Amino acid sequence: MNKTLQASARDLVSPEALTETVAYLCSLGEKVSGSAEEEKACDYITGKLREYGYEPVVHRFDSYLSYPRSAALRVGGSAGYDIPCVGVAFGSSTPEGGFTAEVVLVGSGTEAEYEGKDVAGKIVLVTKLPSPGNSVVAAARGAKGMICMSAGKQRHKMTITPVWGTPEFDQTRDIPRLYLVSISKTDGDRILADLAKGRVEATIVTDVFEGWRSVRLPVAEIKGEEPLFSLVGAHYCSWFDGSTDNITGDACVLELARVLKQFEGKLRHGLRFAWWPGHSHGRYSGSTWYADTFFHDLHENAITYFNIDSPGVKGATVYVPRHQMAELSAYNEGTTKDVTGWTTLNSSNAQLALGKRKDKYVSPTRPSRAGDQSFWGVGVTSLAVYSMLTPEDENRDLNVGGSGGAWWWHSEHETFDKYSPEVLSQDARLYATILMGLSSADILPFEPAAITGDYLDSLREFEEAAGKHLPIAELAEETRSLKARLEALHAGARADAADNSKSARTNRLFLRISRLLNPVLYQAGSDFHHDPALGSRALPSLGPALTLGKLSPESDAYRFARVGLLRRMNRIRHQLRETSRLLTENGY
């Protein structure tokens, strides 16, 4: 890769250009997908792109979305009190006059916290933010309403559908149907105090839109000498003004487009910039549409998907690798350290608020089921770095992963003053360096063997739990054999750097390996579908193995589970063998 070009790109980043974009997009207020505000934001982005010499394309399509139009909460009857609240996307609209029922405290809303409690037809009070996980549990237990609390004075707008992207066929049945409001901890504590005294009733009144909206997805591209390209994306819908989630990200992508356009004609690999609608209001429906619509182009040519979400937050001083797949993690972390001076993976402060993952041994920096990670089935390598607040920062909220971990995320307090031009400029310089490195590399900085390292880390946990019941050790041994071959490939690839035809073949081979190994590593379903937004673990199809040993070997449940797990292990083994066959065909 060309370090001179990387340094030149860093020097071109303009704090003034970034601030101009952040200020304008914040001034539009809440940017609901499919709204007039979205149209204005899209027009601004495409106007700037034309100014920078692009011919942007705006994709128009229908997306299944939801957003709250109004919400109210009253605790007690006529002698009670009103609590300010906000609605939640994919919550249900109440009948006229609202829904009244007894309130039952269920803590953070996990399955275990419902034990011994009758919530059928009632309203549950959850001491966490609304999420697909706690909403699915509440609906399954028969609750009709849900009140969720923040960790402070703020009220967060959220979405509860677990369906990733626009639903297909009958997937709308998977959306939990609840009358739902989001309140502050300050007000929630008042309800908790009343519950400590005795029975409490509440009335929820909500008006929530759910249906189809026409949305806009702007895209711009720099062509390289070869067809390969890096996809760079940021969602441009927002709750409230959305200064740090994700207006700063939109400004950053636009600035990267301006800066990197000046190197057109000097890049071996291209760059494609996209602004996603439907992130906040459609559970990543914009990036999912793009993955579905351009599946084959992405499968053939995409080097990486680089997600930019919530950069430029005031006070964010720690750089955290997030949503990074193994094969590019060393490059990502090394570049981040070189540019920012921060040690990322080994920093105690850097491991805060990583996406919720369930793995015992796999790196927490691996992609989680969030953040427009819609390209796992395609097999495209994910990559990202987030600037975040330290755990000690007075603005840090440990329940929050966006806006650098700041309490104002998704709330009315997320305004222009929460943005830092200094931090966003540093973020943009880092991202420009990472992307320029990929675009100018003769040999892409992939380490394919690291993928099988994640396989082995995951299989270790499954073997500990079910090694007596399943041939996981054999699968691990086959993985180790492939890992050794991939290490040899990586060592031999350096010799191809000086020969364009050989290096092009090697780069294609790296991508083909990721297409074979990544889908089964990251999702349980087929390559052409999208798993629900309900947590993440490596080799997720083997998840039932963790509880297999708790079942009686004579039971139907055990026997059926074992049959299913053996079939899933066959799928994993098949991908390992296809990769081995690919290496043999290419002389490795």
Side-chain angles (χ1 to χ4, degrees), residues 279-515:
H279 169 104
S280 303
H281 312 105
R283 183 58 76 189
Y284 319 119
S285 63
S287 57
T288 302
W289 178 89
Y290 198 83
D292 294 341
T293 304
F294 297 98
F295 183 99
H296 300 289
D297 181 26
L298 294 164
H299 189 271
E300 290 296 319
N301 299 310
I303 297 168
T304 188
Y305 171 56
F306 193 92
N307 187 61
I308 299 179
D309 200 341
S310 298
V313 177
K314 180 175 64 176
T317 58
V318 175
Y319 281 87
V320 181
R322 294 180 72 181
H323 301 309
Q324 62 167 6
M325 289 184 180
E327 60 270 32
L328 277 179
S329 62
Y331 169 70
N332 195 38
E333 291 163 17
T335 307
T336 299
K337 183 178 179 180
D338 289 345
V339 173
T340 69
W342 283 92
T343 300
T344 56
L345 188 62
N346 296 323
S347 168
S348 60
N349 285 338
Q351 293 305 319
L352 54 99
L354 294 166
K356 298 286 191 297
R357 293 188 57 83
K358 300 177 181 179
D359 303 292
K360 187 175 180 180
Y361 300 113
V362 177
S363 169
T365 69
R366 297 296 178 257
S368 61
R369 204 78 185 111
D372 281 298
Q373 294 299 308
S374 302
F375 305 94
W376 294 356
V378 187
V380 175
T381 300
S382 292
L383 198 61
V385 187
Y386 284 46
S387 53
M388 301 193 73
L389 305 177
T390 65
E392 299 80 20
D393 193 291
E394 63 180 1
N395 290 314
R396 185 75 179 95
D397 181 342
L398 295 178
N399 293 314
V400 168
S403 294
W407 61 266
W408 55 72
W409 174 70
H410 282 204
S411 80
E412 62 184 319
H413 306 280
E414 194 188 334
T415 46
F416 179 77
D417 61 298
K418 307 303 190 302
Y419 150 68
S420 167
E422 295 79 18
V423 175
L424 188 56
S425 297
Q426 172 81 322
D427 293 341
R429 286 191 285 268
L430 170 60
Y431 300 159
T433 306
I434 292 170
L435 292 168
M436 179 60 79
L438 294 173
S439 294
S440 63
D442 290 320
I443 295 290
L444 292 171
F446 273 54
E447 296 184 10
I451 306 175
T452 49
D454 281 356
Y455 271 68
L456 290 170
D457 286 342
S458 181
L459 288 172
R460 178 184 172 191
E461 182 178 1
F462 292 124
E463 187 170 6
E464 288 176 353
K468 296 178 181 179
H469 309 274
L470 295 166
I472 295 174
E474 295 175 15
L475 186 58
E477 186 56 37
E478 192 162 339
T479 304
R480 277 188 282 271
S481 175
L482 176 60
K483 186 173 186 288
R485 296 183 67 183
L486 290 172
E487 288 169 345
L489 164 66
H490 185 256
R494 301 186 188 115
D496 296 336
D499 186 314
N500 274 5
S501 62
K502 287 184 178 179
S503 60
R505 186 187 69 176
T506 299
N507 290 334
R508 285 283 182 188
L509 182 57
F510 285 166
L511 298 192
R512 290 177 69 188
I513 290 167
S514 69
R515 301 318 189 243

Side-chain angles (χ1 to χ4, degrees), residues 75 92 102 141 225 256-257 296 310-311 364 379 415 525 527 571 577 585:
V75 178
S92 299
E102 180 185 356
R141 290 283 184 159
E225 296 171 5
L256 290 170
H296 300 289
S310 298
T415 46
D527 298 356
R571 180 190 175 206
R577 293 187 177 185
E585 290 170 354

